[in-house]
Amino acid sequence: MSRLCAPFLTTIFFLCGTATAQRDIADESCTSAISCSDCIRRKPSCSWCESSTFTDARCDNPDNLIVNGCEKIFNPETALILLKNDDLADALYENEDDLEPTVNAIQVKPQRVKLRIRQGDTQRIQVRVRQASDYPVDLYYLMDLSHSMSDDLKNLKLLGNELPSTMRSLTRRFRLGFGSFVDKPVLPYIKETPGDSNAGPCDECEKTYSFRNVLPLSNNAALFQERLLKTNISGNLDVAEGTLDAVMQVAVCQDHIGWRNNSRKLLVVTTDAPFHVQGDGRLAGIIKPNDGRCHLDSNHEYHLSHIYDYPSIGHLDRRMSENNIISIFAVTNRNYRLYNRVSQMIRGSTAAVLYGDSRNILEIINTKYNEISSNIEMIHNAPANLQLSFTANCSDGSSTQGENKCRNFHVRDEVSFDIDITAVSCPVTGQSQSFNVHPIGYDEKLTVEVEVICNCSCDLNQEANSSSCGGHGTLVCGECFCDEGRFGQFCECSSDTADKVDSSRCRPNNITETLCAGRGDCFCGRCNCHHSELKDEIYSGTYCECNNKACPMFSGEVCGGSDKGECVCGKDGRTSLCECRPGFSGKNCGCPTQTETCIAGNGFLCNLLGECECGRCRCNSTRFFGPRCDDCASCTECDLHKNCIRCEIFEGDHFEDGFTREKCDLCTEIIWTVTKLPPVNGSFQECTLQDNNKCSIPFLIGRFENEVSIYVKDEPVSNGNTLDAARGLSCKDGRKDHGML
């Protein structure tokens, strides 16, 4: 792996001292390259000889090229160029109480670099991060105003004067905003009576709405209190709310909400209910996917909620991350488990338990702000052909490879992250790419401009009628491309002279009499290998001893097929071997290096019931089998989720197929315990499982894109077991009390 010679001391960095030490003595994968561009794409150690008099294999590692007499080698090196590298600094203000700085803080260094990198090579960049003092904060308070939150609204109105004071203790440069949400104002989420469409759900309630931007972010504390006092409760019919609709609009309506470019952006969401997810819109006939765009009208309301479905959590995560917004879900105890799992899916977000009347909201904001500001996590949006890995060097002196987070990070502390960038492949179109790396919640970022070196500059300098080619060919990268009727490495032969060249050059030794192994013609002192159309074999190599069918087979194809590998002639020019494509390895290229093929339908590696080896799972279950350990002769999709449901319900270890309680933290399904299951339609599958007392527990599974939502009935159903009845056992015995909805 390459490292910087001296981090950020000069403008241009080149690889240091490892250029030849790590290169193979015999580079078999290089020598079969047919052109300079093909050569440098093989691996970082492959170099091309541009010397026109060179007669050996032109593509090899540079040591071999030098030993074999090459005088001009094309070996492009990976290089890093600093374009912007301003020092870390606090913001500058003209007056102490100013909200907007005259000079913005710099918390990420460097800010822009350019990387030229060989395919298959790795380059390290070090990013330094320091938290500026008294950094501006934008806090937007988003409140569920369904009828069950009436007590919470009363308390928030009483706390309206205290919230600015709480924020002032965190930073002098803060702004507050306020928004509210209920749900989509259509059936079956609300009750609609013909001729009474403007009526509210109760006498003192407002008409139901999806999301309303009550107060854009402002430093006017009095205005915040005024708008808060004028806010009224609303309501809807079902338990779940349109929370994700509202969060999406707050995230993407940048100008309406008033998010600043240089601030820490906090979104506090308070609710006492679960939320609707992508796919639930079908209950109202809404099938158009959420487009992730701003749709606020002149009344500052989301007016297209009846057109677009609820967003998925993954979609919401992308939009929150793009706009550097960190969410705090302050929810009642019965919903904490659900929102805590959601916070794990939305990068940078967190969850807290809110008292039933919201009286502890100020404590939550203060505690969670300190928690958020003391943790730093790096993310990126690099394209698929670039692979990034992190090493965190934290302020406590620890250095952890594979980690992109630091904790206990305080004002003016400085940490650094080593980022290893590997060019896995060339870009599909063009050579230039760029991506950003930044800490979650920070507007500042490192922009990396990338050029993956995939072509040779000498390809553009073609010399026609070159003297190096005897005036009978074009010289390209030191190699002759002969005119029609001319042959040989230097175009030295014609049809009249080709047979007069010494034929001994077409035999591996003086003992062998057969020229070109009987698979080619000795022409101009070199073997012109045959192509057997009958067997579809292409012979190659110095003496035509290699062929494209002589390599090991996988799944009935040579080298596993063209998508996995290619049968090439080795360094010696006489041995056929498999050259594997990126992502595959082994003598027959039959072993995937990635684990995607081991991901089961529930999103887990080997269904949590085995180990991924060579792209296939080795299962440790007696019931589940197959390449992902999710095949079962007597199972349905219901069985794939039962163990994770048991994690939510049972105190004991009532699991199946080798599943253990330690694996519960790996469960990603959103599991809701409800008093009444949603209506069954094409989006859901009906299932049951048995609890510790052999009672049946009904549940529904809904799958939308890559997200799985599960609704579990809070009351198990007795199977009529007379023995259990005689023992006095209840179907509720053995279940966790974790707040049924």
Side-chain angles (χ1 to χ4, degrees):
M1 181 182 300
S2 57
R3 295 176 178 265
L4 300 183
C5 300
F8 308 115
L9 293 180
T10 58
T11 303
I12 300 179
F13 302 96
F14 292 98
L15 303 186
C16 322
T18 60
T20 59
Q22 295 182 356
R23 291 177 177 168
D24 301 332
I25 296 175
D27 230 332
E28 296 178 340
S29 62
C30 299
T31 55
S32 59
I34 60 174
S35 68
C36 182
S37 295
D38 181 30
C39 175
I40 65 169
R41 294 186 186 197
R42 294 296 178 102
K43 55 193 296 189
S45 60
C46 292
S47 303
W48 182 263
C49 180
E50 294 185 55
S51 300
S52 59
T53 58
F54 193 67
T55 59
D56 211 321
R58 288 189 175 275
C59 185
D60 208 330
N61 68 59
D63 289 345
N64 284 346
L65 292 178
I66 292 172
V67 169
N68 292 334
C70 181
E71 297 177 352
K72 186 178 181 182
I73 298 174
F74 181 71
N75 181 28
E77 295 279 4
T78 291
L80 181 69
I81 305 172
L82 284 172
L83 301 179
K84 189 175 182 182
N85 189 34
D86 295 338
D87 289 333
L88 302 171
D90 290 337
L92 297 179
Y93 295 87
E94 186 173 339
N95 298 305
E96 187 174 336
D97 294 328
D98 286 350
L99 287 177
E100 302 300 328
T102 55
V103 179
N104 289 324
I106 300 175
Q107 301 179 105
V108 176
K109 178 184 180 179
Q111 295 82 39
R112 182 177 289 271
V113 300
K114 183 173 183 178
L115 175 63
R116 297 184 74 249
I117 187 169
R118 291 278 298 271
Q119 177 177 310
D121 208 356
T122 299
Q123 177 64 61
R124 173 167 290 186
I125 300 176
Q126 187 179 79
V127 180
R128 294 162 56 193
V129 181
R130 187 175 72 180
Q131 185 177 171
S133 62
D134 207 19
Y135 195 67
V137 173
D138 288 340
L139 186 144
Y140 193 86
Y141 195 100
L142 179 61
M143 186 173 185
D144 173 5
L145 285 188
S146 58
H147 195 265
S148 60
M149 293 285 286
S150 56
D151 288 344
D152 303 76
L153 180 59
K154 291 177 183 178
N155 270 325
L156 185 60
K157 290 179 178 180
L158 295 175
L159 297 173
N161 287 324
E162 297 183 38
L163 183 55
S165 299
T166 298
M167 293 304 302
R168 199 170 287 111
S169 68
L170 302 176
T171 175
R172 291 172 298 173
R173 298 177 172 88
F174 71 91
R175 298 193 309 168
L176 291 174
F178 179 70
S180 58
F181 67 92
V182 187
D183 207 345
K184 295 183 184 296
V186 293
L187 286 169
Y189 312 112
I190 66 169
K191 180 179 180 181
E192 279 190 347
T193 303
D196 194 26
S197 59
N198 292 318
C202 59
D203 292 339
E204 72 277 16
C205 293
E206 284 194 50
K207 181 185 176 184
T208 304
Y209 56 90
S210 176
F211 162 70
R212 179 181 295 162
N213 182 23
V214 179
L215 175 67
L217 290 159
S218 167
N219 62 335
N220 189 334
L223 183 60
F224 179 82
Q225 175 70 1
E226 177 186 326
R227 295 287 176 87
L228 200 56
L229 292 173
K230 292 181 179 179
T231 300
N232 292 319
I233 210 75
S234 183
N236 60 325
L237 287 179
D238 62 342
V239 175
E241 313 293 8
T243 315
L244 300 191
D245 264 348
V247 173
M248 177 63 83
Q249 291 300 298
V250 173
V252 299
C253 295
Q254 296 283 298
D255 294 336
H256 293 78
I257 303 300
W259 297 113
R260 289 178 287 183
N261 287 332
N262 293 283
S263 67
R264 177 169 284 117
K265 303 172 182 62
L266 299 181
L267 170 61
V268 178
V269 183
T270 60
T271 181
D272 66 348
F275 52 83
H276 284 294
V277 295
Q278 180 186 30
D280 284 359
R282 299 180 190 184
L283 298 173
I286 302 172
I287 60 174
K288 196 170 186 177
N290 193 285
D291 66 351
R293 296 181 180 179
C294 181
H295 298 293
L296 298 189
D297 61 14
S298 58
N299 294 320
H300 313 292
E301 291 187 5
Y302 176 32
H303 67 107
L304 295 183
S305 67
H306 65 293
I307 301 296
Y308 293 104
D309 193 6
Y310 302 96
S312 69
I313 296 175
H315 191 186
L316 196 59
D317 169 57
R318 292 192 296 274
R319 290 291 182 261
M320 298 282 282
S321 177
E322 289 168 0
N323 296 312
N324 302 313
I325 298 170
I326 296 176
S327 55
I328 302 172
F329 294 102
V331 299
T332 50
N333 185 58
R334 70 193 310 179
N335 294 291
Y336 173 74
R337 185 184 300 275
L338 169 65
Y339 281 92
N340 186 50
R341 180 160 293 161
V342 171
S343 71
Q344 296 169 10
M345 301 177 188
I346 299 178
R347 288 168 289 183
S349 65
T350 185
V353 175
L354 181 72
Y355 292 163
D357 55 4
S358 293
R359 65 183 183 276
N360 67 326
I361 187 61
L362 299 182
E363 178 186 346
I364 288 175
I365 292 174
N366 184 69
T367 301
K368 289 299 179 181
Y369 174 82
N370 289 323
E371 179 183 306
I372 290 168
S373 61
S374 65
N375 292 299
I376 184 166
E377 179 179 356
M378 302 294 286
I379 58 174
H380 67 86
N381 62 345
N385 66 303
L386 301 175
Q387 180 178 315
L388 272 62
S389 62
F390 291 81
T391 297
N393 307 302
C394 301
S395 53
D396 61 0
S398 64
S399 181
T400 309
Q401 188 172 2
E403 182 63 79
N404 64 336
K405 301 177 184 178
C406 280
R407 296 170 177 81
N408 299 318
F409 182 56
H410 304 294
V411 172
R412 292 203 171 102
D413 278 354
E414 184 176 312
V415 298
S416 67
F417 295 88
D418 296 328
I419 308 173
D420 291 322
I421 305 173
T422 301
V424 178
S425 62
C426 291
V428 176
T429 56
Q431 292 293 94
S432 297
Q433 299 174 295
S434 66
F435 65 91
N436 297 321
V437 182
H438 69 93
I440 290 179
Y442 285 59
D443 286 318
E444 298 163 69
K445 59 185 179 294
L446 164 65
T447 298
V448 183
E449 300 175 7
V450 182
E451 178 189 349
V452 183
I453 305 171
C454 297
N455 298 302
C456 299
S457 56
C458 59
D459 284 332
L460 303 176
N461 302 319
Q462 301 184 5
E463 182 184 344
N465 303 318
S466 172
S467 59
S468 298
C469 306
H472 299 295
T474 301
L475 188 68
V476 181
C477 296
E479 192 171 29
C480 288
F481 289 81
C482 301
D483 297 336
E484 187 176 355
R486 302 298 299 192
F487 314 97
Q489 187 171 3
F490 305 108
C491 306
E492 69 273 24
C493 299
S494 67
S495 55
D496 296 331
T497 62
D499 294 333
K500 298 178 182 179
V501 178
D502 183 11
S503 63
S504 65
R505 290 157 56 183
C506 295
R507 297 195 303 264
N509 51 57
N510 292 329
I511 300 174
T512 303
E513 295 184 2
T514 304
L515 300 179
C516 303
R519 296 173 174 175
D521 299 317
C522 185
F523 195 76
C524 196
R526 303 183 72 177
C527 286
N528 185 18
C529 302
H530 295 161
H531 175 195
S532 174
E533 296 183 2
L534 181 63
K535 297 181 178 180
D536 192 27
E537 289 183 337
I538 300 175
Y539 300 109
S540 61
T542 308
Y543 309 109
C544 302
E545 293 175 294
C546 299
N547 80 78
N548 64 325
K549 300 292 185 180
C551 291
M553 307 278 284
F554 177 76
S555 295
E557 295 189 76
V558 176
C559 300
S562 58
D563 60 328
K564 295 181 176 61
E566 178 185 5
C567 187
V568 301
C569 205
K571 165 73 176 177
D572 59 5
R574 305 180 63 181
T575 306
S576 300
L577 52 85
C578 286
E579 182 179 285
C580 301
R581 309 285 186 207
F584 297 93
S585 63
K587 291 184 178 181
N588 59 4
C589 300
C591 186
T593 57
Q594 303 297 322
T595 60
E596 283 81 359
T597 53
C598 292
I599 303 297
N602 56 7
F604 296 129
L605 193 68
C606 298
N607 196 22
L608 298 179
L609 299 174
E611 303 294 331
C612 186
E613 296 179 353
C614 198
R616 185 180 178 90
C617 293
R618 179 172 54 80
C619 308
N620 54 26
S621 168
T622 57
R623 199 158 62 109
F624 286 86
F625 58 92
R628 294 174 296 274
C629 297
D630 59 357
D631 290 335
C632 176
S634 59
C635 302
T636 65
E637 186 176 7
C638 301
D639 296 282
L640 298 179
H641 305 282
K642 287 182 178 179
N643 282 323
C644 284
I645 295 175
R646 289 185 172 99
C647 289
E648 295 289 309
I649 295 177
F650 299 112
E651 293 287 0
D653 295 321
H654 190 74
F655 301 115
E656 299 176 357
D657 301 297
F659 193 96
T660 62
R661 180 154 296 279
E662 288 70 28
K663 296 179 180 179
C664 286
D665 291 338
L666 300 176
C667 294
T668 59
E669 301 98 325
I670 299 173
I671 301 174
W672 294 340
T673 311
V674 296
T675 56
K676 183 179 180 181
L677 292 176
V680 178
N681 56 33
S683 303
F684 293 96
Q685 180 176 348
E686 290 184 277
C687 307
T688 60
L689 60 77
Q690 287 189 335
D691 66 7
N692 292 337
N693 293 327
K694 308 300 182 183
C695 298
S696 295
I697 302 176
F699 66 95
L700 298 181
I701 297 176
R703 181 180 290 278
F704 308 99
E705 290 187 356
N706 294 322
E707 293 176 11
V708 176
S709 295
I710 297 176
Y711 297 84
V712 183
K713 185 76 170 63
D714 64 343
E715 289 289 345
V717 178
S718 174
N719 291 331
N721 190 316
T722 55
L723 181 60
D724 284 346
R727 293 174 178 172
L729 295 178
S730 167
C731 280
K732 290 186 178 180
D733 292 341
R735 292 168 57 85
K736 286 184 181 178
D737 180 14
H738 61 281
M740 305 302 175
L741 301 180

